Structures are given as structure tokens and as C-alpha cells.
Amino acid sequence: MSQYDEVYRAVSPAEFFYKYREIAGFANPVRAVYQTIRELVENALDATDVHGIPPDVKVTIKKADETQEFYQITVEDNGIGIPPNIVPNAFGKVLFSSKYVMRQSRGMYGLGVKMVVLYAQMTTGRPVEVITSKPNLKRIYYFKLRIDVNRNEPVILEAGSWRKTRDWHGTIVSVTIEGDWNRAKSRVLEYINRTAIVLPYANIALLTPENEIIYYPRVVNTMPRPPVETKPHPQGLDLEFLSSLVKNTGFDTLEKLLIDSFQGIGEATARQIVQKAGLDPDRKPDSLTNEELLALVNAIKSYDKYKPPSPKSLSPLGEEIIIAGLKRAFEPEFVTAVSRRPSAYSGHPFIVEVGLAYGGKTPIGEDKPVVLRYANKIPLLYDEATDMIVEVVKDEISWDNYMVSLPAPILVLVHVCSTKVPFKGVGKESIADIPELRREVKLGIMEAARGLKQYLSKKIREEEAKKRAENIAKYIPEVARSLSIILADEDSFNALRSEVIRKLTTVVAKKTGVSLDLIQGIVKSVEAEAGV
Amino acid sequence: MSKIDLEARSRALDIVEYSMKELIEQIERGEKPTLIMPKRTLSNTIYDLKHKMLLLGPELQKRSFTDVNEAKKFMQTLLMASIIYEALRNNEYPTIRDLYYRGKHSIVYRSIDGKRVSENTWDEQRESDSVIRDLEVLLSVLREDLLILSKEKGKVVGNLVIRSGDDTIDLSKMGHGAYSIEPTPDLIEFIDVDAEYILVVEKDAVFQQLHRYGFWRKYKAILVTSAGQPDRATRRFVRRLSDELKLPVYILADSDPYGFYIYSVFKAGSITLSYESERLATPSAKFIGVMMTDIFGDSVFKKIIREREARKTLEEVATGIEDLKPKAPYLSESERSNFIIRAKTKDLERAVELVGYKVADVCMEDKDAKSKIKRKEGLTGYPWFATPHWVRELCIFFNTLSKLEIEAMASKGLKFLADKYIPEKISSGDWID
Ligand SMILES: Nc1ncnc2c1ncn2[C@@H]1O[C@H](COP(=O)(O)OP(=O)(O)OP(=O)(O)O)[C@@H](O)[C@H]1O
Ligand SMILES: [Mg+2]
């Protein structure tokens, strides 16, 4: 072979991600523990709340070897389960997923659990175990499998099934990986805690290798409305997508293809678009030349009277749930939530939600409020510095104007939900800067902050009223004493004094609008100090 | 304890009780307790042209306990009332300093944010003094009626017999000393008098010289000194002499803005204590000297008003300056240069306070001295100084920048002061009213 020759070959997706696992968040033994738990928990949650089932998720971490740092991680859910014929591919074939549809879910790449399996395979060599059943099935299925990295195919090591004796449905996934639990622990706990904040409708339990039980019980019965699968919006279209539509669907006419494949295109619109592209509405789609396809894409995209993308595919948390979650977590003095109206970028619908907690056990924000970021209900923990949301909170909102003087116990929760969250990487840790999104985030925070401002200014007013009352009440005993010296004799002195105190206390309470108790408290403290 | 004293006490006790009863009735009705009293501020001080004195205007001040800005004052007012009441009851004569100490204690309480706070009922005597003044207007009595004493320095001699307490005192038999006017002049009874006028001398030293000279016996005068700025008892005493003995009152003070002001306090009252004028001021009091015209004559002034603009301006301040009677000086050129003292900026400023800037502007030639006067907003002079006589006096003062003490007149010769200057001025009616 000469110096200018190369060896060429293709690698399977499994092989690729096996080699470049850090792209998917498996960079080191600490991150690997965290990422494994995340992937399994998120799949469990997708199998429950996306389908309207209140989640019951249990995570168990056990030391699996005496000498080596092997941990068995098991996640159990009460979700919709997986059809037995699908299980091998779902867990053993990279880029196989049920989530490549227009519907909001946590998963989106078809990669997560396979990365876990691959990582287990390369560190401990142990296979993944899956136990699953769907609600309508009579049997429970059991699999033990691994991935053939070169072929990107599942290898079933064991499979079996047994009859259901109780009405159980859901999935239990168990893997054994090598990892640094001790250093990962705080991250994992934080992840579970953050997840629980936006899921007050879920039971989430975690059992650590140290036998600690961390449990977040359900506190609300409301569920977010489940997302409904929708057709793509024409504005999100490109040439590649249209070519595959034309090839893979068997429509007779162009018109039918447009009406059936996209949301928001009716007969009249379809005709208009096709004519603009200089084509015949009755043309057979698979007869189009490349130039004609390009003309059609341009016609579809330049049409400007589409309705905005349907938000039905989204599943926002809703204000009630956000408030319940923040209350459970921080017992704040003030809490509010804002669910913005649906909006869209490049044909993808999205909704921004903001929660704001103040006081109570809310952590102290130093130069800006503490920010909790979420995307499709997933907490984002890493890469905070480069995140658009953090930037908005820090630089675009003047917290002074909302009567917040930092440092202060204030926290802002931002949830972005979309059929396509613009993550910066497959690790799903930070959100890219998209103007439409940024705008909504800012407006949402401002709206919530206005609520806080109202609360704070009312509180200040009340405090001022109390101060005023105090500055009068402290003189009541002296006034009563002076009057009694002048108007009472020795025998009636005490009676008159108490009577005047009683009456003045009432009048002062009435005039200042504060409680009788407060005024009595101050009067009593004066008397106690004076030894009356 | 004299009968008259006991009566005064029981009157005072009634007044305090009556006012506090009103308050307790409000409280019993569940209303916010409110003290209503004349407003004791400069803006509510008016010069009553008819009675020729400074009086409190018609504005009232409401002091409600439930008003956070008034609560402390309200408490202080009641506290002071109770201390005074107890003193009256216990047959005591507290001074204002005593009252300050008796009422001063701390109120300690726990504030709404849990802190232990300590606060004094009052901190400085200034505060408690102000509360006493409030009580005087609230109850419309003078502190003397409440048997509160203040240090007094006024003295009197003359053909006058008085009763003070249970004693009868002949003020013509005081030797080289004099009767010192008691702090409660209303408790004095006039029994017998043989006098033609009352001469009030600002300076104690001059009073003593005239006394030893036998001035009052020779000219049938009652001789009084206030020994400087007149206190309340001296003013009240002079007022009673004027009212009850129906004798004219002449005032002899230094020839400078300060002396002029002392005269005006006797005559019209003072701004800070305007509520007392009705009982302390002597509107008929006349200023017999020392006048600027007694020193300089009127040539300086005549020269100034020869100029049209100047005349017009001064005419605006007080009409009738051209009709003033001509005046020859009592002092010769050389005496003047011996006795005169040069006025200081402070004297000039006080003069401006009396007659306003216009007179100063027209009459002052010394640009350097003029530039030193601090200009305060709204100083237009007191209405009772806006008369042709006073404009002439102060115009000469501004022009010559000179002042003269009464003692100087005495050093020209006590005989001159006692036998020429005073009698001649009185008999010729050369005074300012
Ligand atoms: N606990 C579970 N219950 C039901 N289905 C599951 C469960 N775990 C995995 N699946 C199925 O397996 C598929 C593959 O999961 P995987 O985590 O690899 O990808 P994904 O969740 O679709 O996307 P992502 O890579 O973003 O996680 C899912 O799409 C889902 O259909
Ligand atoms: Mg997944």
C-alpha cells in the first residue's frame, strides 16, 4: 500500500456509538452512572405519563461485585410495556425507536437504552435483562440480551414468559455497569429530585447501595394532558423529507399526498401550492423529476397562510402541577406559574412554561435567581453556563424592577416543551439559542415576575402598616397611665387604666388595619418590660 | 400656703381634668382620641393691627393618637399633663427643668421583628419645653397659671405697695436693692401706688444707677428692668401695671436693632410665644430711646430722601416719611465719635429682619458691608416696624452703621440722663409708639 492509499469501510451505528460514547454522555465512570439512570428513568416515564398513566417508578442500585466497582441498576415502571416481538430491537438495535413521531416525549433519538447496554457490555460484559407486559396481554415476558456491535443487531441470550397472576403491566429493565457511584451519587440524587419537582403526580423511589430510600410520593392527582400524535407542519419540510414521502407513500395524486401528509393543508390550499409550483394537482407523485420536486418544496415553504403548528402534540405541565411541585420542594412563601400560549419555530410547535418560587426554603440566588431548566419534562443539569435560559434570567431581566434585591431566596423554573427541542447535543443538557424560543422564555419569566412584584409590594405595604401600628401601640400604656393619673383615684386607677388600654387597642387596630393580636402583643411587651 | 396659691391650684387642676375628660369620653365612644389646639407655627402667627400685638391665628391643629406622625407628641402631651397634675396635687412648684426630668423615662418594647427596642419619652429639654407650650395652648392657660416656675431676672422699685403670698411689701423701701419680680406675677396684688409713669430699662446697670440717683422718687416713676431680653414674668408684670394702674409705659433700650427688638417684644409679643401675647404684651408701651435721631439728628435721613427714587421706595414701606417732625441730636460731633460702636454684620441682619431689604438697599452706602448680609427669602420686615419713625431710625442705622448703648448716655453724665434726657423726652412726647 502506498502512502497515499487509505483503507475504507463502513461502521454500524452500534459500533460508532460504542467508540464515541462520550457524545451520548458516557464520558467517564461518574457520568456513566448518572447517564444510565437517566436513560432508564426517562424511558419509564415516557411509558407512563405520555399515555395518561400516573407514573410509579422505582430505581434500585446495588453493588454487584465484591471487589470491583460493578453496580446493578434496575428501573421498574407501571407503563404500557413493550410487545415481546419488539423487545429485542428496542434494546438491541441502535436507532430503533417508537418516538420518531410528531408527539412530545422525553426520548427522541432511539439511542438511550442501547448506549446503556453497550456500556454494560464493554465494562462488565453482563447482558441487559428485561421483564415486560402490556395491559392487554395475559403473559409476562422475560429477555436476556446483548448487542452484536458490528451488525447492530440484538443477540437474544435467554427468553421466556409466564402467566400473569395479578393485573400488572409495565417494564423492569436491569443492567450491570462499572461506575463510580460514590462520586456520581450527589448528581443522581439531584437528578431524581429535579425530576420529582415537575412530576408531583408521580411516585418516585430510589434505593441506594447504602440501603437509603429516597421517596417522592404523589401529591396531586392531576396529570398533564397526554400529547396527541400529529402530522408534520409544512413549514418544517425540506427536499429530503419530500423525496422520501414521494417514494414511500403510494398516493395517486400530488393533491392527495399534500392533504394527507401535512397538517393545515386542505383542498384549496393544496391546489394553490401545486399550481404555484407549475404542476398538475393530479400528477402521480412518483413521476416527479428532481427539478419539479424542488419547485414543489419552494412552493410549499413560501406559502404564508398556514395556521401555526398544532399544539395538540405537546404535553405541557400546566400551572397547577408546576405550583404543586414547587410547593412540595421548597415550601415557598410565594409561588406562581405561567403556561404561555403555544408558539412555533421552523414549523415545530413549542410551549414555554415558567414557575417562580420565593422565600421559604427556596435556595438563595446570588447574582441571579436559581434557575431550574427543563425540556420535555427532563431536568437539565449540566452546561448551565452556555444555556440560553440562564442567559435570559441573568441578563435580560432586571430583577430590581420586580422588587427583588439579590441575593434573595428566589428560583425560576423554565420548562420548554416541543416536538423538537433544539438541544445542543445528544446528551440533552442545554438548549440552543432560537430567537422565537428566547422571546417566549423572556415573556414567560416577566409575567411570573410581575406576579411576584405584586406579592412583594403588597407584603411591603402590610409590613409598613404593621410598623405604623407598632409606632402607635407602644405608647398605649403610657397614655393610659397618664389619663388615669388625672382622672382616677387610687381605687379606680387600675380599672380605668385597663379600660383605656382595651379601648385604645381596638381603635388603633381599626385605624391601622392590623390585627388586634399584634397590637396587644406590643402593649403586653411594654407592660412586661415596665414590670406592670 | 397662701390662699391665693391654693385657689390657683384648684383652678389649674380643674382645667387639666376638664380637658382630659373630653379625651376619655372620645375613647369611651370608641373614637380615635384627638387633641385640638391652635396651631403654634409661624404661618399661624398674625399681627393684630387693632390690638397691636402678635397673636395666634385661627388655624387649628388636630393631634390624633392614631396618626403615626402625631402619636409620640400625643403621648408626650398626656405625660406632661399628668406630671403637672401630680405636682399641682402635691403642692409643688416645678420648674420646666424639673418637669423634663420627671417625665423622662424609657419605654421598652418588643418590636414586630422580635427586637427589644428602647425609646425615651423625650431626650432633650427642648422637646419637653415644646410640649409645655403645646399644653399652654391646648388648655389656653399660661404655665404660670399651672404654677410652673421659670428663672426670673426682672426687678422693680417705686412708690408701690404689693401683696405677694401673705406678705405686704413696700417697693419704695428696698434700700439699694430691688424687688425681684416673682415667677407667678398673677398672684401679686397691687395695694397702693403713687406714680405717674413706668420706666422700663433694658440694662440692669443703668437701672441701678437711676435707682441710686433717686430717679424714681424725684420723677414719681415705677422703675423696672428686664436685665436684657425680657422674661415672661417681667412682661406680665409690666402688662398688669399698665392695665391695672392705668399708667403709661416707657421703654429705654440700647440704640441698636437688638434694643429695638426688645422693645417690640414688650409691646407686641414674640413670634415663638405669640400665644402668650394676649396676656404678656403691652401694646401701649412707648419707645423713648435711645433713638438714632437722638444721636445723629435727622440730617442724614433728610439727605437720603432728597433723592426721588429713595424717597419713593421708603414711602412704599411706610407712608408719611416726609411729614416727620424735624429732630435735633442730643450728642455733639465729638461725643458721637466717643460713644458710637460700629455695627457688625449680625446687627445688620437683625435690622433687615425688622424692616426688610428695601430700607437697607436704599440707605446703605457701604457696599462692602452690604455684600456681607446673608439674603434670606421672604424677609419683608415686621408690620409694626413699617412706620415712618422706625423707617427713619433704621435708615439712619443702615447709613451710619453705628449703634450706641444706654450706658453711653449715662457716661455723658448721670445727671444728663436722669434730669434732662428722660424727662425732656417724656414731656415733649419724643417717643415712638
Ligand atoms: N420502560 C419502557 N417501557 C416501554 N417502552 C420502552 C421502555 N424502554 C424502552 N422502550 C422502547 O424502546 C425504544 C427505545 O428506547 P431508547 O431509549 O433506546 O430510545 P428512545 O427513548 O426512543 O430515544 P432516546 O435515544 O432519546 O432515549 C423506545 O422508543 C420505546 O419504544
Ligand atoms: Mg430513551
mmCIF file of all heavy atoms in Angstrom, chain B residues 114-132:
data_model
loop_
_atom_site.group_PDB
_atom_site.id
_atom_site.type_symbol
_atom_site.label_atom_id
_atom_site.label_comp_id
_atom_site.label_asym_id
_atom_site.label_seq_id
_atom_site.Cartn_x
_atom_site.Cartn_y
_atom_site.Cartn_z
ATOM 1 N N GLY B 114 -39.203 41.241 66.474
ATOM 2 C CA GLY B 114 -38.658 40.487 67.598
ATOM 3 C C GLY B 114 -37.543 41.196 68.354
ATOM 4 O O GLY B 114 -37.002 40.661 69.297
ATOM 5 N N LYS B 115 -37.184 42.396 67.910
ATOM 6 C CA LYS B 115 -36.084 43.098 68.575
ATOM 7 C C LYS B 115 -36.591 43.813 69.827
ATOM 8 O O LYS B 115 -37.721 44.265 69.881
ATOM 9 C CB LYS B 115 -35.474 44.141 67.619
ATOM 10 C CG LYS B 115 -34.461 43.544 66.675
ATOM 11 C CD LYS B 115 -33.630 44.657 66.073
ATOM 12 C CE LYS B 115 -33.670 44.750 64.618
ATOM 13 N NZ LYS B 115 -34.469 45.294 63.727
ATOM 14 N N ARG B 116 -35.722 43.913 70.816
ATOM 15 C CA ARG B 116 -36.064 44.653 72.015
ATOM 16 C C ARG B 116 -35.644 46.091 71.766
ATOM 17 O O ARG B 116 -34.473 46.373 71.527
ATOM 18 C CB ARG B 116 -35.306 44.061 73.199
ATOM 19 C CG ARG B 116 -35.734 44.580 74.538
ATOM 20 C CD ARG B 116 -35.164 43.658 75.626
ATOM 21 N NE ARG B 116 -35.360 44.265 76.936
ATOM 22 C CZ ARG B 116 -34.530 45.156 77.474
ATOM 23 N NH1 ARG B 116 -33.461 45.518 76.806
ATOM 24 N NH2 ARG B 116 -34.787 45.663 78.662
ATOM 25 N N VAL B 117 -36.605 46.993 71.792
ATOM 26 C CA VAL B 117 -36.322 48.383 71.456
ATOM 27 C C VAL B 117 -36.583 49.251 72.681
ATOM 28 O O VAL B 117 -37.547 49.042 73.397
ATOM 29 C CB VAL B 117 -37.228 48.869 70.301
ATOM 30 C CG1 VAL B 117 -36.798 50.250 69.833
ATOM 31 C CG2 VAL B 117 -37.193 47.883 69.152
ATOM 32 N N SER B 118 -35.687 50.200 72.875
ATOM 33 C CA SER B 118 -35.868 51.106 73.991
ATOM 34 C C SER B 118 -35.919 52.535 73.453
ATOM 35 O O SER B 118 -35.124 52.908 72.609
ATOM 36 C CB SER B 118 -34.702 50.942 74.958
ATOM 37 O OG SER B 118 -34.793 51.910 75.969
ATOM 38 N N GLU B 119 -36.862 53.287 73.968
ATOM 39 C CA GLU B 119 -37.028 54.645 73.440
ATOM 40 C C GLU B 119 -37.362 55.564 74.601
ATOM 41 O O GLU B 119 -38.126 55.192 75.486
ATOM 42 C CB GLU B 119 -38.184 54.604 72.424
ATOM 43 C CG GLU B 119 -38.567 55.933 71.875
ATOM 44 C CD GLU B 119 -39.796 55.821 70.966
ATOM 45 O OE1 GLU B 119 -39.893 54.852 70.192
ATOM 46 O OE2 GLU B 119 -40.656 56.693 71.065
ATOM 47 N N ASN B 120 -36.804 56.780 74.627
ATOM 48 C CA ASN B 120 -37.094 57.701 75.716
ATOM 49 C C ASN B 120 -38.373 58.479 75.449
ATOM 50 O O ASN B 120 -38.678 58.795 74.304
ATOM 51 C CB ASN B 120 -35.934 58.675 75.904
ATOM 52 C CG ASN B 120 -34.776 58.015 76.630
ATOM 53 O OD1 ASN B 120 -34.955 56.999 77.303
ATOM 54 N ND2 ASN B 120 -33.590 58.575 76.472
ATOM 55 N N THR B 121 -39.092 58.776 76.516
ATOM 56 C CA THR B 121 -40.295 59.596 76.343
ATOM 57 C C THR B 121 -39.910 60.927 75.706
ATOM 58 O O THR B 121 -40.596 61.418 74.836
ATOM 59 C CB THR B 121 -40.965 59.857 77.706
ATOM 60 O OG1 THR B 121 -39.948 60.218 78.641
ATOM 61 C CG2 THR B 121 -41.680 58.622 78.190
ATOM 62 N N TRP B 122 -38.838 61.501 76.171
ATOM 63 C CA TRP B 122 -38.198 62.605 75.459
ATOM 64 C C TRP B 122 -36.713 62.605 75.773
ATOM 65 O O TRP B 122 -36.302 62.058 76.791
ATOM 66 C CB TRP B 122 -38.823 63.967 75.754
ATOM 67 C CG TRP B 122 -39.130 64.262 77.186
ATOM 68 C CD1 TRP B 122 -38.276 64.353 78.223
ATOM 69 C CD2 TRP B 122 -40.437 64.514 77.723
ATOM 70 N NE1 TRP B 122 -38.941 64.645 79.376
ATOM 71 C CE2 TRP B 122 -40.272 64.765 79.102
ATOM 72 C CE3 TRP B 122 -41.716 64.598 77.180
ATOM 73 C CZ2 TRP B 122 -41.349 65.051 79.945
ATOM 74 C CZ3 TRP B 122 -42.780 64.884 78.006
ATOM 75 C CH2 TRP B 122 -42.602 65.103 79.382
ATOM 76 N N ASP B 123 -35.933 63.192 74.869
ATOM 77 C CA ASP B 123 -34.488 63.133 75.059
ATOM 78 C C ASP B 123 -33.924 64.429 75.604
ATOM 79 O O ASP B 123 -33.169 64.431 76.556
ATOM 80 C CB ASP B 123 -33.800 62.778 73.747
ATOM 81 C CG ASP B 123 -34.050 61.334 73.388
ATOM 82 O OD1 ASP B 123 -33.686 60.469 74.192
ATOM 83 O OD2 ASP B 123 -34.632 61.072 72.319
ATOM 84 N N GLU B 124 -34.309 65.537 74.985
ATOM 85 C CA GLU B 124 -33.722 66.809 75.409
ATOM 86 C C GLU B 124 -34.801 67.700 76.002
ATOM 87 O O GLU B 124 -35.979 67.531 75.732
ATOM 88 C CB GLU B 124 -33.132 67.535 74.186
ATOM 89 C CG GLU B 124 -31.941 66.828 73.604
ATOM 90 C CD GLU B 124 -31.571 67.447 72.263
ATOM 91 O OE1 GLU B 124 -31.625 68.677 72.156
ATOM 92 O OE2 GLU B 124 -31.286 66.684 71.338
ATOM 93 N N GLN B 125 -34.364 68.676 76.759
ATOM 94 C CA GLN B 125 -35.341 69.556 77.377
ATOM 95 C C GLN B 125 -36.095 70.370 76.334
ATOM 96 O O GLN B 125 -37.236 70.756 76.530
ATOM 97 C CB GLN B 125 -34.668 70.475 78.395
ATOM 98 C CG GLN B 125 -35.708 71.146 79.292
ATOM 99 C CD GLN B 125 -35.113 72.135 80.250
ATOM 100 O OE1 GLN B 125 -33.971 71.980 80.667
ATOM 101 N NE2 GLN B 125 -35.886 73.145 80.606
ATOM 102 N N ARG B 126 -35.445 70.586 75.197
ATOM 103 C CA ARG B 126 -36.109 71.287 74.103
ATOM 104 C C ARG B 126 -37.470 70.642 73.802
ATOM 105 O O ARG B 126 -38.467 71.306 73.573
ATOM 106 C CB ARG B 126 -35.220 71.238 72.865
ATOM 107 C CG ARG B 126 -35.238 72.462 72.036
ATOM 108 C CD ARG B 126 -34.020 72.579 71.094
ATOM 109 N NE ARG B 126 -33.330 71.329 70.818
ATOM 110 C CZ ARG B 126 -33.682 70.481 69.847
ATOM 111 N NH1 ARG B 126 -34.695 70.742 69.067
ATOM 112 N NH2 ARG B 126 -32.989 69.377 69.661
ATOM 113 N N GLU B 127 -37.449 69.289 73.810
ATOM 114 C CA GLU B 127 -38.680 68.555 73.498
ATOM 115 C C GLU B 127 -39.751 68.768 74.558
ATOM 116 O O GLU B 127 -40.909 69.015 74.237
ATOM 117 C CB GLU B 127 -38.384 67.050 73.420
ATOM 118 C CG GLU B 127 -37.899 66.552 72.097
ATOM 119 C CD GLU B 127 -37.675 65.047 72.152
ATOM 120 O OE1 GLU B 127 -38.650 64.299 71.945
ATOM 121 O OE2 GLU B 127 -36.530 64.628 72.443
ATOM 122 N N SER B 128 -39.359 68.637 75.830
ATOM 123 C CA SER B 128 -40.376 68.754 76.870
ATOM 124 C C SER B 128 -40.849 70.204 76.978
ATOM 125 O O SER B 128 -42.014 70.459 77.253
ATOM 126 C CB SER B 128 -39.848 68.227 78.198
ATOM 127 O OG SER B 128 -38.762 69.004 78.636
ATOM 128 N N ASP B 129 -39.952 71.153 76.707
ATOM 129 C CA ASP B 129 -40.368 72.563 76.721
ATOM 130 C C ASP B 129 -41.433 72.808 75.665
ATOM 131 O O ASP B 129 -42.412 73.519 75.887
ATOM 132 C CB ASP B 129 -39.166 73.479 76.451
ATOM 133 C CG ASP B 129 -38.256 73.592 77.675
ATOM 134 O OD1 ASP B 129 -38.614 73.022 78.721
ATOM 135 O OD2 ASP B 129 -37.195 74.240 77.559
ATOM 136 N N SER B 130 -41.218 72.189 74.513
ATOM 137 C CA SER B 130 -42.178 72.379 73.430
ATOM 138 C C SER B 130 -43.534 71.768 73.809
ATOM 139 O O SER B 130 -44.592 72.297 73.479
ATOM 140 C CB SER B 130 -41.614 71.756 72.153
ATOM 141 O OG SER B 130 -42.632 71.449 71.268
ATOM 142 N N VAL B 131 -43.487 70.652 74.535
ATOM 143 C CA VAL B 131 -44.734 70.032 74.982
ATOM 144 C C VAL B 131 -45.450 70.943 75.983
ATOM 145 O O VAL B 131 -46.678 71.061 75.964
ATOM 146 C CB VAL B 131 -44.461 68.642 75.605
ATOM 147 C CG1 VAL B 131 -45.723 68.053 76.184
ATOM 148 C CG2 VAL B 131 -43.879 67.700 74.567
ATOM 149 N N ILE B 132 -44.672 71.620 76.827
ATOM 150 C CA ILE B 132 -45.295 72.557 77.772
ATOM 151 C C ILE B 132 -46.017 73.677 77.015
ATOM 152 O O ILE B 132 -47.146 74.034 77.320
ATOM 153 C CB ILE B 132 -44.234 73.149 78.729
ATOM 154 C CG1 ILE B 132 -43.689 72.041 79.637
ATOM 155 C CG2 ILE B 132 -44.825 74.280 79.558
ATOM 156 C CD1 ILE B 132 -42.476 72.446 80.456
#
